[in-house]
Amino acid sequence: MEFITEDFLLNGDTARILYHEMAADLPIIDYHCHIQASHIAENKSFDNLTQVWLADDHYKWTALRWNGVVERLITGDADDYEKFLAYARTLPACIGNPLHHWSHLELKKYFGYHGHLTEDTAPEVWDLANSRLGLKGLRARDFMLQAKVEKICTTDDPADDLKWHKRLAEEDFFVKVYPAFRPDKAIEITKPEFLPYLERLGEAAGVRIDHLDSLLQVFLNRLDAFETLGCRVSDHGLTKLPWAPARETEVRDIFFRRLGGEALSDLEAEKYQTFILSWLAKQYARRGWVMQLHFGVLRNVSPTLYEALGEDAGGDAMGDTPCGEKLAGLLWSLERKRALPKMILYSINPGDNAVIDTLAGCFENGEARGKIQHGCAWWFNDTKTGMEAHLQTLASLSVLGSFVGMLTDSRSFLSYTRHDYFRRILCEYIGGLADRGEYPKDYKWMEKIIRGICYENAKEYFGF
C-alpha cells in the first residue's frame, strides 16, 4: 500500500502543476537550522536507522511520551532496534500530527519506502533503511546532496571557535555552510551560568570582560570572526521580548553589579537585555545582516525532564505573553536611530500572527523587499493547519510574494523533507485560490510567486 504518493496533499490539477513543474525540484536554502557543523565537516556516518532518524529529535521524543513509552526506550539505554520499534508502534496513533507525514516523507525520500510504518511493517523498514545506510554508505553529506541543499546557516554561540566552519570553508563541498550568530547566553543575565559563560566568551576573543565596554568589544571581535566565514544572519531565542529602555550609564551599573555577583530585579535584567539587543541590532544593520527573533517559548517547564536530560529534550511549551507593545517599541526605537536591520520575526503562538504581520507592515521602507519578515510557521505551528493559517494571515495582511519561505529548524539530516511538505501546502493554497477564481490562472505569475517563496526570495534577502 503506497501512502505518500507523488500527489500527496495536492488535491487539484492546478496545485499539481504548480508543485511538479515549478516547486518540487528547486534547491533548498535552509537559513536556520541546528545541524552541527562538525557532523558535516566529518561527514558523519550512522550505524542504523535509529541513529540517523530518532536520536536528538525532541518532536519524536514527545510523541513517544504521549503514547506512554518509558524513557528508557526514548533517550535511555535500550538498544537501537527497541527504540525504533517503540516509534513504529507510536507513529500510526499520530493521525493528524505532522510527524506522521514528515516521517513517511523521510522514509520515502531517503530509503525508498512507500508504505505505512507500523509495528507489523517495522522489520521490513528497519532492514530496508539499514541496507541503504550500509550498502550505499549513506553519510551526512549524502542526505544533503540528495535533498538538493544549496546553502545552510547553522546556529552558533559567539564563544565557539568556529573550527569546523573554517575547515568547511577550505573544502570544495557543494553545500555552502555558514555560521549564524546566536548570543543568547550573553543576554540571559539572570541565569546562574551567566558569569562562567562570560569567562568563556572573553577567552574566545582574547579579552577579559570586566565592564560593559569590554563586553561590547568582545561582541565586535566575534562578529568580525563570524563575518569572515560568511555569516550574514543572527538569531535570538527569547522567552519574551524585552523592552525597557534605559540610559547607558544605568546599564553599565547593572552589568557591573551582576559581575560582582549581585542579584538583579526583573526590570533591571530587562533593561540590560533591551540595551544589548538594540546595540547588536545596530551592528547587524551596519553589516547588512539579517536579525532573527524567536520568542514566546516557555522553556524547560518539566523539572523531571530538565534535571534528567537538560535543554531541548521536549520540555518546552507555547507561551501566551503578549508581544505587540514591546515589539513595536523595539522596532520604533531602532528605526528612529536608523539602526533597523532586516529582521525575521517568529512567535511560537499563532495568536500573534496578525500582530506580527501588521507591525511588520509599518516598517517596510523600500530598502529591501519585505525588509521585516514574518518568519515561517515555527515549532508547534509547522503543522499542516499551522502553515495554512500562517499563509492565509500573511497573504491577507502583507504581500505573500515577498515571503522568504521555509526552514528546517532541525538537528536532523533527514528533515529537509519539511521543505517539500511546505512546498506542497503552498502549491495547494495558491492552486486553490486560482481554482476558486480568487486569483487568475496566470501560470507565469504563480510560478514567479512560488519560485520566490521556495528559493529566490531567500537568496536575494540574505545576499546569497
Side-chain angles (χ1 to χ4, degrees):
M1 177 185 68
E2 184 176 12
F3 173 43
I4 303 292
T5 68
E6 293 301 307
D7 292 333
F8 176 63
L9 299 183
L10 305 171
N11 297 306
D13 290 338
T14 306
R16 296 185 189 106
I17 291 170
L18 297 180
Y19 172 75
H20 292 299
E21 298 184 13
M22 302 173 191
D25 293 327
L26 290 171
I28 288 174
I29 295 176
D30 199 34
Y31 55 87
H32 175 67
C33 74
H34 296 277
I35 292 287
Q36 293 185 42
S38 62
H39 292 171
I40 304 171
E42 296 180 317
N43 200 14
K44 183 176 180 179
S45 62
F46 306 91
D47 292 336
N48 57 54
L49 182 56
T50 295
Q51 291 182 16
V52 71
W53 203 41
L54 302 179
D56 203 25
D57 189 330
H58 60 81
Y59 285 93
K60 294 184 174 82
W61 295 352
T62 299
L64 287 160
R65 292 176 189 131
W66 267 109
N67 206 42
V69 175
V70 296
E71 199 65 31
R72 175 179 168 273
L73 295 171
I74 304 172
T75 62
D77 60 2
D79 69 45
D80 285 344
Y81 184 71
E82 285 184 288
K83 291 179 178 179
F84 168 74
L85 191 58
Y87 190 62
R89 289 169 177 154
T90 295
L91 194 58
C94 294
I95 185 169
N97 189 307
L99 268 178
H100 192 267
H101 292 163
W102 294 347
S103 296
H104 286 95
L105 284 166
E106 290 161 354
L107 291 174
K108 178 180 179 179
K109 175 73 175 179
Y110 301 110
F111 304 111
Y113 181 70
H114 297 260
H116 184 207
L117 176 59
T118 66
E119 183 177 5
D120 294 334
T121 60
E124 172 192 357
V125 175
W126 179 258
D127 291 342
L128 173 64
N130 290 344
S131 68
R132 293 287 181 99
L133 284 169
L135 293 177
K136 291 196 172 186
L138 294 177
R139 300 165 74 100
R141 297 189 185 193
D142 297 308
F143 295 119
M144 301 178 81
L145 293 172
Q146 190 173 342
K148 297 185 178 179
V149 179
E150 186 177 279
K151 297 175 178 67
I152 73 166
C153 298
T154 58
T155 303
D156 306 277
D157 192 284
D160 194 314
D161 62 12
L162 301 178
K163 68 177 182 179
W164 299 111
H165 284 279
K166 293 173 186 175
R167 177 170 158 180
L168 286 164
E170 295 169 355
E171 293 187 24
D172 190 26
F173 181 40
F174 174 79
V175 181
K176 299 303 178 186
V177 183
Y178 304 109
F181 190 80
R182 182 150 177 168
D184 293 359
K185 292 178 182 176
I187 292 178
E188 295 291 346
I189 192 171
T190 59
K191 287 194 172 182
E193 303 85 6
F194 180 73
L195 296 180
Y197 172 74
L198 289 187
E199 291 185 17
R200 186 161 67 90
L201 178 61
E203 290 172 0
V207 175
R208 182 169 180 265
I209 299 175
D210 53 8
H211 50 77
L212 184 64
D213 287 340
S214 57
L215 173 64
L216 302 183
Q217 184 59 54
V218 165
F219 279 143
L220 289 174
N221 291 354
R222 300 312 296 155
L223 287 165
D224 288 343
F226 273 65
E227 191 162 45
T228 299
L229 291 167
C231 178
R232 61 204 70 192
V233 59
S234 72
D235 183 46
H236 299 264
L238 306 164
T239 302
K240 58 182 180 180
L241 284 165
W243 180 243
R247 294 180 181 275
E248 185 171 330
T249 53
E250 184 179 0
V251 176
R252 288 177 185 278
D253 177 66
I254 291 169
F255 184 67
F256 189 75
R257 287 191 287 112
R258 182 68 182 95
L259 287 179
E262 287 189 32
L264 302 177
S265 68
D266 290 344
L267 179 58
E268 288 173 326
E270 190 171 1
K271 287 179 178 180
Y272 166 81
Q273 292 165 346
T274 300
F275 175 84
I276 295 297
L277 202 63
S278 300
W279 186 89
L280 286 169
K282 187 175 181 179
Q283 309 313 312
Y284 304 149
R286 285 176 176 173
R287 296 166 188 263
W289 288 16
V290 176
M291 182 181 193
Q292 296 180 100
L293 297 180
H294 289 83
F295 51 88
V297 185
L298 297 178
R299 298 278 184 184
N300 306 313
V301 296
S302 166
T304 303
L305 277 179
Y306 182 68
E307 290 166 10
L309 301 172
E311 297 180 344
D312 303 318
D316 304 324
M318 184 183 296
D320 58 357
T321 302
C323 70
E325 185 175 347
K326 295 197 173 188
L327 180 57
L330 176 64
L331 295 171
W332 173 86
S333 173
L334 292 173
E335 185 185 70
R336 189 175 187 186
K337 296 173 183 175
R338 300 189 182 279
L340 181 62
K342 288 187 283 188
M343 191 177 290
I344 307 180
L345 308 170
Y346 310 82
S347 172
I348 203 166
N349 192 321
D352 295 334
N353 283 354
V355 174
I356 291 173
D357 288 328
T358 53
L359 266 177
C362 297
F363 296 92
E364 306 296 350
N365 59 12
E367 291 179 2
R369 189 162 174 250
K371 178 179 178 178
I372 310 300
Q373 291 272 332
H374 182 183
C376 64
W378 172 46
W379 200 338
F380 296 114
N381 301 312
D382 56 6
T383 63
K384 180 175 179 289
T385 54
M387 290 184 194
E388 289 168 343
H390 176 269
L391 288 171
Q392 289 168 4
T393 307
L394 189 64
S396 298
L397 298 174
S398 72
V399 174
L400 182 61
S402 299
F403 179 37
V404 294
M406 188 58 176
L407 47 81
T408 62
D409 191 29
S410 174
R411 294 165 176 79
S412 170
F413 283 98
L414 303 189
S415 63
Y416 297 111
T417 53
R418 294 183 193 178
H419 284 264
D420 181 66
Y421 193 58
F422 168 79
R423 290 173 181 183
R424 291 173 181 272
I425 291 168
L426 174 68
C427 290
E428 173 68 15
Y429 173 69
I430 292 177
L433 290 175
D435 286 342
R436 294 191 298 273
E438 297 175 38
Y439 191 85
K441 283 195 179 178
D442 185 333
Y443 285 98
K444 179 180 178 180
W445 259 102
M446 287 191 288
E447 180 175 14
K448 186 173 182 178
I449 292 169
I450 287 167
R451 285 185 61 88
I453 294 172
C454 296
Y455 174 68
E456 300 287 355
N457 292 349
K459 187 175 181 180
E460 176 186 355
Y461 188 76
F462 291 97
F464 290 134

